Structures are given as C-alpha cells and as structure tokens.
Amino acid sequence: DMGAESLNVREEKYFGDWLSDIYRAHARSELNYFEHNLEVWRQVWRTAFERADIVVMVLDARIPLFHFSQAVFNHVKTKLE
C-alpha cells in the first residue's frame, strides 16, 4: 500500500517527466497555464488517464483552440493508445 508521501513523490516525478516531454515538443508560449500546473495535472491524471477507457476533451466553442491541449492529446494518442 502506497502512503500519501510516496504517492506525492511519484506524481511529482511523473509530472516532471511529462513536462519535459511537452517542453521538448512545444514552445512554452504555445501552452496554456493548466498544462504546466501540477494540481490540474493530478486531477486530470487521476480521473481521466488512470481510470477511463475513453478520454473526452471538452472545449469552449467560443475559443476552442485556447482550451484544446495539444500536449494532452499527443500523450493520449502516443502513450495510452
């Protein structure tokens, strides 16, 4: 059984790895605030990537490209397929 501290350390490592991957693939100016925020990443990872068979990205139709995360899309497409 993994304790809270161990889980936090593991998530921080995975988040750091994920950030490194997206920073290599995209300029930081192309990313929105949420793509490099650890708390948002934890929520998305725990609810979407670990438990789901299907991932749906909901976008605001007024400015969809602002809300579309190319990094998350690429991660799901290449690493979770």
Side-chain angles (χ1 to χ4, degrees), residues 16-68:
D17 293 346
W18 186 76
L19 270 183
S20 295
D21 287 347
I22 66 169
Y23 288 160
R24 274 193 295 276
H26 306 281
R28 289 181 189 220
S29 61
E30 294 176 353
L31 304 171
N32 66 40
Y33 168 77
F34 303 106
E35 291 174 303
H36 30 155
N37 180 298
L38 178 58
E39 291 307 314
V40 171
W41 186 84
R42 280 181 169 145
Q43 292 173 15
V44 170
W45 191 265
R46 288 178 183 164
T47 58
F49 301 148
E50 287 183 352
R51 298 182 182 146
D53 293 325
I54 298 171
V55 176
V56 176
M57 193 179 307
V58 178
L59 310 174
D60 186 329
R62 296 170 292 181
I63 45 173
L65 294 178
F66 176 77
H67 297 282
F68 181 77

Side-chain angles (χ1 to χ4, degrees), residues 2-13 42 46:
M2 183 177 294
E5 184 60 34
S6 297
L7 179 62
N8 285 336
V9 169
R10 188 178 82 176
E11 286 180 337
E12 287 174 8
K13 183 211 176 301
R42 280 181 169 145
R46 288 178 183 164

